Amino acid sequence: MSSTAVAEPQQSGPGRPHVHIKPSKGPTALSKTSEELAVAKSEYGRGSKINYKGVRDKKLRGNLKKLELKYRDASVRAKDAEVLRPETGPGFIEAEGELERTWKLDQASLKNAVDVATAQKGFSLDLAFGPYMADYTRDGKNMLIAGRKGHVAGFEWREGKLASEIQLNETVRDIKWLHNDHFYAVAQKKYVYIYDSQGVEVHCLKKHIEVTHMEFLPYHFLLATIGNAGYLKYQDTSTGTLITELRTGLGAPTTLTQNRRNAVLHVGHSNGTVTMWTPNLSKPAITMLTNRGPVRAVAVDRGGFHMATAGVDGRLNIFDIRNTYREVHSYFTPTPATSLAISDTGLMAVGWGGHTTVWKDAFRTKQNSPYMTHHQPGSTINSLRFCPYDDILGASHSTGFTSLIIPGAGEPNFDALEANPYATKKQRQEAEVRGLLEKLRPEMIQLDPEFIGKVDTAQAKRRQESEQEAMDRRLKEGLEKDDKYRTRGRNSALRRFIRKKGGKNVRDERREKLEGLKKARAAKRSGKPEEPSMGAALDRFKKKPVRF
């Protein structure tokens, strides 16, 4: 789609023409044939055409006509924008022949095949304070690495600009970015500390003791930690208050991850179970037996549909966590896996020993061979992280950090209002303020994140049935109640005497009608034919039946 300009000469001054540029509005329906318009409408149209010719109001008819033209132009533009889409989705590696395998392609050959900018993203850091762990920001611009022996560094990994580097001189168990690249949390030997981007200590969370795993919920501004004592704690980083403290009752955890779809935390335990926690419940919402030994790693895909678990038993199991919570596929690893990661496009990375294996379409069908492999000699893989919006896999191991190029791992399209890798300083400030204003409450974390805004018809039906049952019960109790307990003012001495006599001296139309119905039913049950009535005045001359 090319943009054109129309030059209109206008006189601006004595004998001097002024050129006014009118920008073009892009392709419209006027430049398309009827066949192209029909195809665009069938694919991107908005229902049937508006019949504006029968509208009497002239202004309304004109507005409906303009609206119909806008709908038609929108479908044409959407059809023309198809050329910007990739034909096969993300740029995965494809084998040309039947004998070729993509997993045989190593990183050195891949760097020679890609462009210079992409080749520079694949690097390796040899560090002496391992084993290391790493974490990326939500926009994938900054990276944070931390060694077990106290080495912590944060930098812009694409440009190689070091932001801060500190040596804590004590054990570091986990590290996690907070809502942006200005603050990060470090789980040290005893407490959890929060540092700014320059490495200056800002807060000390003394209620979080001996933390081993951390997760940050960006939409709720909650820092979730769990340690050797087995207590899961939620800390609000915007107000500094401790939201809740939950006792798991299963000892020290082995792994912790979050479901980005509903913000539910998945905790792996040494008895082979994975529990799912929300801050609203004192007990786990779901408890699943996933492995026959201690769980080593847990990962959940971006859509929140599948969960992958790896255990000491050497099995890699994939579960459907939408409704059934059943096992879908199962794989075996040569040695027990130590880390799992799932990219935005569905690639699953598995770290076992010194090897890193990447699987493609592992959730749809059971695969026979991996997509890519990498071996880090003389090291043990500690953690794996996919970089958002980029084809990069960060592998942290015992001797440092390695950035692996994995084609097709990153989501090519990003939402600038959600996480913008190219945001300016002002846009980052506005995003932080907007995030605080739109912060979700902890009570909104549920297994089904779409329950808000729905009409609970089942509950309304149950409430209506319960109200009807209560009304019937009250009516039945009122009928069975003795007459003396009916209402106020009807328990006088005269009323009690009249009720004792049966009320025979009180005659009204309703009583006579009821007595007549009662006699008719009695006669019908006895089988005697009912004699016709001759009137109230002549009925006294009727012969009475003789009783023996």
Side-chain angles (χ1 to χ4, degrees):
M1 295 182 293
S2 61
S3 60
T4 59
V6 179
E8 292 185 355
Q10 296 181 359
Q11 295 296 331
S12 175
R16 178 180 298 176
H18 174 71
V19 178
H20 177 66
I21 303 298
K22 273 190 178 180
S24 175
K25 295 183 180 180
T28 59
L30 299 177
S31 60
K32 301 294 180 181
T33 61
S34 58
E35 292 79 5
E36 294 175 345
L37 290 176
V39 173
K41 184 179 179 180
S42 62
E43 295 183 4
Y44 301 99
R46 303 191 182 187
S48 58
K49 185 179 178 180
I50 302 175
N51 186 15
Y52 54 85
K53 294 182 179 180
V55 180
R56 293 184 177 182
D57 191 354
K58 188 175 181 180
K59 185 177 180 180
L60 179 59
R61 184 168 64 250
N63 291 336
L64 292 177
K65 185 177 180 181
K66 291 179 182 179
L67 187 63
E68 183 64 25
L69 294 176
K70 286 182 180 179
Y71 286 165
R72 189 177 63 178
D73 292 343
S75 61
V76 170
R77 290 193 180 96
K79 182 64 178 178
D80 292 339
E82 289 183 351
V83 297
L84 302 177
R85 295 182 181 178
E87 296 182 358
T88 58
F92 294 111
I93 300 176
E94 296 182 0
E96 294 183 355
E98 296 181 357
L99 300 179
E100 291 187 0
R101 298 292 182 268
T102 57
W103 57 268
K104 293 183 179 180
L105 185 65
D106 56 358
Q107 290 293 311
S109 303
L110 192 59
K111 290 180 182 179
N112 295 330
V114 298
D115 57 285
V116 177
T118 305
Q120 291 178 353
K121 296 179 182 179
F123 58 89
S124 180
L125 300 176
D126 296 331
L127 305 171
F129 299 97
Y132 275 81
M133 60 204 76
D135 188 31
Y136 292 95
T137 54
R138 293 179 61 202
D139 56 4
K141 186 178 181 181
N142 295 74
M143 185 178 66
L144 197 65
I145 60 173
R148 182 80 174 180
K149 299 177 182 178
H151 177 223
V152 178
F155 54 94
E156 295 184 13
W157 65 275
R158 290 189 181 92
E159 301 179 1
K161 293 182 179 180
L162 182 64
S164 64
E165 186 176 11
I166 55 177
Q167 176 56 253
L168 301 176
N169 293 323
E170 66 176 4
T171 304
V172 174
R173 295 189 178 94
D174 199 4
I175 196 165
K176 184 64 63 176
W177 284 108
L178 297 185
H179 58 280
N180 54 19
D181 58 346
H182 293 329
F183 300 98
Y184 58 89
V186 182
Q188 297 180 202
K189 184 177 181 180
K190 189 174 182 181
Y191 301 124
V192 175
Y193 294 85
I194 296 179
Y195 298 88
D196 64 358
S197 59
Q198 303 300 322
V200 179
E201 180 183 333
V202 179
H203 296 289
C204 176
L205 308 179
K206 292 189 177 181
K207 294 185 179 180
H208 302 258
I209 303 174
E210 293 184 355
V211 172
T212 57
H213 301 86
M214 295 189 300
E215 280 292 335
F216 182 73
L217 309 179
Y219 300 105
H220 306 78
F221 281 79
L222 293 179
L223 178 64
T225 64
I226 190 168
N228 293 325
Y231 282 86
L232 179 62
K233 302 179 182 181
Y234 289 85
Q235 182 85 26
D236 192 336
T237 58
S238 62
T239 60
T241 58
L242 184 65
I243 301 299
T244 184
E245 183 176 348
L246 306 175
R247 180 178 177 271
T248 60
L250 296 174
T254 56
T255 181
L256 173 67
T257 188
Q258 66 167 307
N259 187 342
R260 290 184 287 176
R261 181 171 178 264
N262 51 17
V264 175
L265 296 181
H266 296 232
V267 184
H269 304 279
S270 57
N271 60 352
T273 61
V274 174
T275 55
M276 303 181 189
W277 294 85
T278 63
N280 314 314
L281 303 176
S282 59
K283 295 182 180 180
I286 298 291
T287 301
M288 298 177 58
L289 180 62
T290 59
N291 294 86
R292 299 180 180 178
V295 180
R296 298 286 295 271
V298 178
V300 183
D301 63 346
R302 184 177 67 170
F305 301 146
H306 298 89
M307 178 183 68
T309 63
V312 181
D313 55 354
R315 294 187 62 182
L316 173 62
N317 301 326
I318 298 175
F319 295 88
D320 186 356
I321 57 175
R322 288 172 289 186
N323 296 316
T324 59
Y325 297 95
R326 294 182 179 179
E327 181 179 321
V328 180
H329 305 297
S330 181
Y331 299 87
F332 286 92
T333 56
T335 58
T338 57
S339 181
L340 292 174
I342 301 176
S343 70
D344 293 339
T345 57
L347 296 181
M348 182 176 63
V350 184
W352 50 277
H355 298 265
T356 301
T357 307
V358 180
W359 296 82
K360 178 184 175 184
D361 297 333
F363 305 116
R364 299 179 182 178
T365 58
K366 189 170 183 179
Q367 303 296 319
N368 297 323
S369 61
Y371 173 60
M372 292 190 70
T373 58
H374 175 74
H375 176 54
Q376 192 71 29
S379 300
T380 302
I381 302 298
N382 186 38
S383 69
L384 297 174
R385 289 288 186 276
F386 278 101
C387 180
Y389 310 111
D390 210 335
D391 297 342
I392 296 298
L393 172 63
S396 306
H397 43 83
S398 57
T399 59
F401 176 82
T402 303
S403 180
L404 305 177
I405 301 175
I406 309 296
E411 174 64 36
N413 304 316
F414 63 90
D415 187 358
L417 299 178
E418 176 70 18
N420 188 4
Y422 309 101
T424 60
K425 182 179 180 181
K426 185 176 181 180
Q427 288 176 343
R428 288 195 296 268
Q429 293 174 353
E430 293 176 352
E432 184 175 1
V433 174
R434 185 170 60 252
L436 289 171
L437 293 176
E438 298 176 354
K439 184 180 73 169
L440 301 179
R441 297 181 60 86
E443 294 81 6
M444 300 175 71
I445 300 178
Q446 301 287 340
L447 286 175
D448 184 14
E450 300 178 356
F451 76 99
I452 299 177
K454 286 185 176 180
V455 178
D456 193 355
T457 56
Q459 185 176 1
K461 187 176 180 180
R462 289 194 299 269
R463 184 171 61 250
Q464 185 178 1
E465 292 177 355
S466 62
E467 291 177 356
Q468 185 66 27
E469 291 177 359
M471 186 180 297
D472 296 342
R473 186 172 58 255
R474 288 195 300 268
L475 183 60
K476 185 177 180 181
E477 291 176 357
L479 293 175
E480 294 178 353
K481 224 174 199 182
D482 191 59
D483 292 338
K484 66 179 181 179
Y485 298 110
R486 281 185 180 175
T487 56
R488 181 181 176 185
R490 294 193 178 185
N491 202 23
S492 61
L494 181 61
R495 295 288 182 182
R496 287 198 300 269
F497 177 76
I498 293 174
R499 285 197 298 271
K500 184 181 293 186
K501 292 295 182 181
K504 296 181 180 179
N505 59 338
V506 179
R507 309 295 298 180
D508 55 358
E509 183 179 357
R510 181 174 177 273
R511 187 178 184 88
E512 290 180 357
K513 186 176 181 181
L514 292 175
E515 288 182 356
L517 293 174
K518 186 176 180 181
K519 290 180 181 179
R521 284 196 294 268
K524 187 176 182 180
R525 283 196 299 269
S526 62
K528 296 180 180 180
E530 184 179 357
E531 297 181 359
S533 177
M534 295 180 292
L538 299 178
D539 281 344
R540 56 183 177 174
F541 298 105
K542 290 169 53 175
K543 293 183 180 180
K544 296 181 180 180
V546 180
R547 296 181 180 179
F548 297 96

